[in-house]
């Protein structure tokens, strides 16, 4: 993926932009690698706040006093976290009160490079096979080998162009 020397770029600036976009994609993919290992770990039924607090042997009252909040407020916050209704700012504050660090991230199910390549293949297939279908109706359908070559070329063009065009 990335620069394709046979693709007519509009300018050197456009090629630099494509290279930077490719670099950004690879950097984000690399930064997310450690999170892939923890993906799928189930959240305890009462949430992480309650699980860590209880593991430390703290009651709701004790932890609330340490945080300087009412026990009822902490209890509601724990319920909000367990129900996925808590704000990140609130969760971060409560995590710090347990001497924990909130780790937040979006973890793609597949490497982002694969997502981009698959989308380029999907768009190329739609475009090329759409034309081939029309030609087939006129009994002029190209050979499978020719179609494969056209698909590969169109996919390469899409990957070396503006990626925003892959999502139209």
């Amino acid at each position: 993926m990335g620069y394709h020397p046979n693709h007519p770029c509009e300018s050197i600036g456009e090629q630099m932009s494509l290279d930077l976009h490719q670099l950004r994609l690879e950097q984000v993919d690399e930064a997310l690698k450690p999170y892939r290992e923890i993906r799928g770990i189930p959240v305890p039924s009462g949430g992480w706040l309650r699980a860590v607090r209880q593991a430390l042997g703290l009651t709701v009252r004790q932890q609330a006093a340490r945080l300087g909040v009412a026990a009822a407020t902490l209890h509601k916050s724990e319920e909000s976290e367990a129900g996925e209704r808590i704000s990140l700012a609130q969760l971060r504050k409560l995590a710090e009160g347990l001497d924990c660090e909130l780790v937040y991230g979006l973890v793609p199910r597949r490497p982002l490079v694969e997502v981009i390549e698959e989308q380029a293949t999907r768009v190329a297939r739609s475009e090329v096979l759409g034309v081939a279908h029309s030609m087939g109706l006129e009994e002029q359908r190209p050979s499978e080998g020719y179609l494969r070559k056209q698909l590969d070329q169109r996919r390469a063009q899409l990957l070396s162009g503006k990626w925003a065009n892959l999502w139209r």
Side-chain angles (χ1 to χ4, degrees):
M1 201 162 73
Y3 174 69
H4 293 278
N6 297 328
H7 180 69
C9 285
E10 293 176 16
S11 68
I12 301 271
E14 181 180 310
Q15 183 56 49
M16 287 176 57
S17 176
L18 291 171
D19 290 344
L20 288 173
H21 199 70
Q22 174 75 23
L23 179 61
R24 183 180 308 128
L25 177 79
E26 291 170 1
Q27 287 174 336
V28 169
D29 243 355
E30 188 64 28
L32 291 172
K33 274 185 181 178
Y35 293 97
R36 287 189 188 105
E37 295 175 18
I38 61 171
R39 181 180 55 212
I41 294 175
V43 175
S45 61
W48 288 110
L49 291 172
R50 181 174 296 152
V52 172
R53 176 183 55 75
Q54 289 176 341
L56 292 172
L58 291 162
T59 66
V60 171
R61 265 202 180 99
Q62 290 170 326
Q63 182 61 12
R66 292 178 65 204
L67 291 168
V69 300
T73 301
L74 178 59
H75 180 72
K76 280 185 177 183
S77 294
E78 286 183 354
E79 285 181 343
S80 292
E81 186 242 338
E84 299 180 357
R85 298 180 309 274
I86 196 167
S87 73
L88 289 175
Q90 178 76 2
L91 186 55
R92 182 172 283 112
K93 176 183 172 188
L94 294 169
E96 288 174 6
L98 291 165
D99 196 25
C100 292
E101 182 178 339
L102 174 65
V103 178
Y104 171 81
L106 300 176
V107 184
R109 290 180 181 95
R110 298 175 293 136
L112 295 174
V113 170
E114 285 181 22
V115 174
I116 290 290
E117 290 175 348
E118 183 179 288
Q119 184 64 16
T121 300
R122 190 176 299 123
V123 172
R125 183 177 307 279
S126 173
E127 292 175 0
V128 171
L129 296 182
V131 171
H133 176 72
S134 296
M135 291 176 75
L137 293 175
E138 300 169 8
E139 297 183 15
Q140 299 174 2
R141 183 174 173 87
S143 71
E144 289 303 314
Y146 180 80
L147 286 176
R148 258 192 310 279
K149 182 179 176 185
Q150 292 300 308
L151 279 169
D152 290 344
Q153 286 177 352
R154 182 59 183 139
R155 181 177 178 274
Q157 288 173 341
L158 289 164
L159 290 171
S160 68
K162 293 181 181 180
W163 290 350
N165 294 334
L166 295 174
W167 306 101
R168 293 184 182 183

